[in-house]
Amino acid sequence: MIAGPGAGAHAPVTRVLGFAEAELPAALAAQVAALEAEAWPGATPGHDPALAPRALLLVTADGTVAASLALLFKEIRHAGRTYRAAGLSSVVTRRALRGRGYGARLVAAARRELAAVPGLDLVLFSCDRPLAPFYEAAGFTRLPGAVLVGGTPGEPLATDGPGFDKEVLAEFLGADGPDGADGPDARAGAAAFAGARIALHPGLVDRLW
């Protein structure tokens, strides 16, 4: 995940657009693919349809995609309970436009959108350790000692694997009761995940979301 903190004084007018990935207009999809190729050379654009991918874009008035990310969804089992989980993936800001707050604005929009999804229990993802403060500033919480195990059970990929230096972050939405995101249900969820190995297993396309 690549995003820039900070904000510029002369940023152009922008708007946030959301699409089911399969319905993303071709011109915008081409820009997103170019942004991702710039950030992660050799990566294949797009996400596993089984994860119901949704593209969220920050677009300037002239149609330039300034930043993009994907929202992915699946059920996970943890500590004897099934959770409906979402994750942030492929968060990237156009290199020439970094440092203007675009990444922060898009991640904030993603957080608001996910909070409004009926029945969603939590948002769960990992990032490179230096980016953790950026996501904390957007409202997500670090899960100390937590490890996401991605890939598949037969071909796992974990965030504590060789060469990785990652943090796991989450937001617990308190979907099981009236307490809200800051209530006892959400706090209990955070306690259940902190320090745990979490079997995410989103498959071999989006191996860690």
Side-chain angles (χ1 to χ4, degrees):
M1 297 183 180
I2 297 177
H10 303 290
V13 174
T14 57
R15 57 181 176 152
V16 176
L17 303 177
F19 303 88
E21 187 173 84
E23 298 172 2
L24 186 61
L28 295 177
Q31 289 196 62
V32 171
L35 285 184
E36 294 181 3
E38 180 183 66
W40 304 288
T44 301
H47 300 273
D48 189 339
L51 301 177
R54 180 167 173 78
L56 215 59
L57 316 178
L58 188 68
V59 181
T60 65
D62 67 359
T64 298
V65 177
S68 68
L69 60 78
L71 305 176
L72 305 177
F73 301 85
K74 77 181 298 283
E75 289 188 349
I76 64 172
R77 286 285 295 173
H78 183 73
R81 176 180 161 183
T82 299
Y83 293 84
R84 187 179 177 207
L88 274 63
S89 182
S90 304
V91 182
V92 62
T93 299
R94 185 175 295 274
R95 184 172 295 160
L97 299 177
R98 290 177 192 166
R100 304 186 187 191
Y102 290 150
R105 181 179 170 194
L106 188 61
V107 169
R111 183 170 175 253
R112 289 192 299 271
E113 179 160 325
L114 290 171
V117 175
L120 191 67
D121 295 306
L122 76 155
V123 184
L124 182 69
F125 61 96
S126 66
C127 71
D128 292 338
R129 195 173 303 276
L131 287 174
F134 168 79
Y135 290 102
E136 283 187 304
F140 295 102
T141 300
R142 296 191 209 205
L143 296 180
V147 175
L148 281 187
V149 182
T152 67
E155 296 185 49
L157 177 69
T159 55
D160 64 349
F164 281 158
D165 185 24
K166 291 187 175 290
E167 292 265 11
V168 178
L169 297 100
E171 181 171 17
F172 295 87
L173 302 175
D176 283 348
D179 302 302
D182 295 322
D185 183 67
R187 290 197 296 270
F193 280 79
R197 295 186 75 82
I198 304 161
L200 180 64
H201 295 317
L204 297 178
V205 176
D206 300 281
R207 298 185 69 191
L208 279 171
W209 282 135

